[in-house]
Amino acid sequence: MFTSLITINRTLTTAARCKRRVVVTGMGVVCPLGVGTQNAWQSLIDSKSGITKLTDQEYDKLPCKVAAFVPKKETDPDGLDMNSYFTKSELRTMCPATVYALIATEEALEDAKWKPTDETHKRDTGVAVGIGMIDLVDVCTTYEAMKKGYNKVSPYFVPRILPNMAAGNISIKYGFRGPNHSVSTACATGAHAIGDAFRFIRGGETSVMVCGGAEACISPLAIAAFCRLRALSTSKNDFPYEASRPFDKDRDGFVMGEGAAILVLEELNHALERKANIYAEVLGYGLSGDAAHLTAPSEDGTGAILAMDRAVKDAGIETVDITFINAHATSTPLGDAIELKAIESFMGQHSKNVTVSSTKGAHGHLLGAAGNLEAVFTILAIKNGIIPPTLNLHNLDTETLLNFAPNTKKIWSASERIALKNAFGFGGTNACLCFGQYNE
């Protein structure tokens, strides 16, 4: 068991917190486990994997040859066909991440039954959707095109590479005139977007927010760059389903993934008045900075502890109320160990009552869309009383009081289900979201 190096002051709880409650009323998913929220969730709890081998010749000389793509219609009957959603001219104006975000948004709004036509309602609906990293293929292709002549540069090149264009396109498509916000904080992007949207509603700036993140940057250059950082898994190229191994002693790096997940957050009374379905309540949000290193977390877990502590304080609960943590855990040797150290330091003796899981074993690491996709799975865990499994966890390399869900789902029997969702990014940026069952 680890002892925290931080003395946490719990006297500053929620005195200044606005009492407007925020709930989740809609969700949409496009990810390596499937298209559609229920498809992805069912694949996850059935212990399926969306990670495949990179077979294109461009990847032959790279150390990593695995990734997690959104399944496409050409190879999967239930896969995604972008052409069924958009015309070819529309697709030329958007990067794939924006396309994923728009498709997931349509599902989320349909799920929430919220497509207002009234101008007042449109003005009371905002968007907070981020992209963690631009598609490097766009940049390289455009640079090569420019060598042939200025006129070969697409007029849509800039809109395709701006990280706020997913949010912009969503706002434009549905006429939402509330806050139009985008955050790009590496692998914490999706969680920060949800947290910021939560604060917009709680603070009274708007009643509804469409929020989340999107990512689609798998390419030979991106794989090569992360390999140079020694961040990717390279030991399971012939066994892609085994490549992402959160917490397992044989883990050797993360697997790049792509996709989008969008949530509709809503002020409680607004949701009740229109009799919306409520999945869960957003209870709190915490942020912190490691102030330590460009790519590595602080060794004592300071940043993670501070983010979790601030989320719990913001929620006005105690650590003993939390029984599930959806970890950031990407399958890197350093990161997973430090996160477990931080969680146990923060939870103390209550650790024996907490189950930790990382769903990245099934869908890889979606970078800027990781925190939001995993937030969706955390919310569905709360709704269904099922903790999703951590695939490929066979040998834990840490002595800990914490519990796990190795390889198969676990029934979550707590009388009141409250969970934390961690998300951490390069540059030492951290986010933690607190979700709970909705209780009147």
Side-chain angles (χ1 to χ4, degrees):
M1 179 176 174
F2 297 100
T3 303
S4 174
L5 300 179
I6 302 168
T7 301
I8 297 173
N9 180 357
R10 291 197 176 280
T11 61
L12 303 173
T13 53
T14 55
R17 185 164 77 99
C18 174
K19 297 303 179 183
R20 280 168 59 100
R21 295 170 67 184
V22 180
V23 293
V24 181
T25 57
M27 298 187 291
V29 168
V30 175
C31 80
L33 287 172
V35 179
T37 303
Q38 290 305 318
N39 289 338
W41 171 250
Q42 194 61 52
S43 293
L44 177 66
I45 62 174
D46 286 346
S47 300
K48 294 181 180 178
S49 172
I51 299 171
T52 57
K53 186 166 184 175
L54 295 167
T55 56
D56 288 357
Q57 195 172 14
E58 294 175 297
Y59 296 99
D60 284 351
K61 295 181 179 180
L62 300 182
C64 174
K65 295 181 178 62
V66 292
F69 291 96
V70 171
K72 300 301 190 294
K73 197 75 173 177
E74 309 91 78
T75 55
D76 185 337
D78 298 319
L80 181 66
D81 178 13
M82 292 185 185
N83 296 309
S84 67
Y85 292 89
F86 303 99
T87 65
K88 288 184 178 179
S89 59
E90 287 174 327
L91 290 172
R92 280 196 293 269
T93 71
M94 300 180 290
C95 68
T98 295
V99 173
Y100 293 158
L102 284 166
I103 295 170
T105 297
E106 178 68 16
E107 183 192 2
L109 292 173
E110 289 281 356
D111 187 33
K113 296 180 174 58
W114 183 249
K115 286 188 176 180
T117 56
D118 179 82
E119 182 63 22
T120 301
H121 290 150
K122 288 183 177 181
R123 290 182 180 183
D124 204 22
T125 303
V127 183
V129 175
I131 293 175
M133 189 169 132
I134 64 170
D135 184 2
L136 300 179
V137 172
D138 257 351
V139 178
C140 295
T141 302
T142 303
Y143 179 71
E144 291 301 319
M146 189 179 70
K147 291 179 180 179
K148 299 175 183 178
Y150 157 78
N151 290 331
K152 298 296 183 181
V153 175
S154 168
Y156 299 109
F157 173 60
V158 171
R160 285 176 64 93
I161 65 169
L162 289 177
N164 73 311
M165 279 300 169
N169 274 281
I170 293 166
S171 174
I172 292 165
K173 180 176 180 179
Y174 298 100
F176 296 149
R177 303 184 192 278
N180 186 337
H181 178 65
S182 180
V183 57
S184 185
T185 47
C187 304
T189 294
H192 277 141
I194 295 169
D196 291 351
F198 162 63
R199 286 187 174 176
F200 288 147
I201 297 172
R202 193 177 64 177
E205 293 185 51
T206 189
S207 295
V208 182
M209 287 294 297
V210 177
C211 58
E215 201 76 85
C217 61
I218 301 171
S219 68
L221 180 54
I223 294 286
F226 278 111
C227 281
R228 291 290 291 159
L229 282 173
R230 298 183 181 178
L232 297 183
S233 173
T234 60
S235 66
K236 296 289 182 177
N237 288 334
D238 293 326
F239 305 95
Y241 290 2
E242 300 177 11
S244 183
R245 315 175 64 83
F247 308 126
D248 189 80
K249 71 178 183 64
D250 292 328
R251 66 188 183 275
D252 69 325
F254 72 81
V255 174
M256 283 187 71
E258 64 171 12
I262 300 294
L263 290 74
V264 177
L265 304 190
E266 197 166 342
E267 193 273 325
L268 175 60
N269 290 326
H270 188 280
L272 292 176
E273 284 173 9
R274 65 183 196 87
K275 296 181 173 58
N277 174 54
I278 296 174
Y279 284 98
E281 183 170 359
V282 188
L283 300 176
Y285 173 42
L287 307 86
S288 73
D290 280 344
H293 190 271
L294 281 176
T295 59
S298 52
E299 291 185 10
D300 59 3
T302 303
I305 293 172
L306 287 173
M308 289 186 287
D309 179 58
R310 289 165 183 168
V312 168
K313 284 179 180 176
D314 192 39
I317 62 173
E318 300 295 330
T319 53
V320 293
D321 297 320
I322 299 159
T323 47
F324 170 49
I325 295 178
N326 187 314
H328 179 68
T330 64
S331 186
T332 60
L334 186 64
D336 291 14
I338 290 175
E339 185 174 8
L340 285 184
K341 175 181 178 179
I343 291 171
E344 188 164 8
S345 296
F346 180 62
M347 290 294 167
Q349 289 298 319
H350 178 58
S351 296
K352 63 182 181 294
N353 303 314
V354 176
T355 299
V356 178
S357 184
S358 170
T359 60
K360 289 185 177 74
H363 53 68
H365 185 12
L366 272 64
L367 307 180
N372 48 307
L373 175 63
E374 292 155 29
V376 167
F377 292 148
T378 303
I379 291 162
L380 290 172
I382 290 169
K383 187 73 172 176
N384 295 296
I386 296 173
I387 293 175
T390 301
L391 295 195
N392 303 310
L393 175 52
H394 302 293
N395 297 294
L396 191 69
D397 69 345
T398 303
E399 289 187 17
T400 177
L401 295 176
L402 294 163
N403 301 290
F404 298 86
N407 300 300
T408 57
K409 65 187 179 185
K410 181 177 180 180
I411 300 301
W412 189 359
S413 57
S415 56
E416 184 174 8
R417 295 189 285 272
I418 297 177
L420 296 181
K421 168 62 208 148
N422 287 336
F424 314 132
F426 281 179
T429 181
N430 308 304
C432 182
L433 296 162
C434 183
F435 298 102
Q437 284 175 280
Y438 164 64
N439 296 310
E440 294 183 14

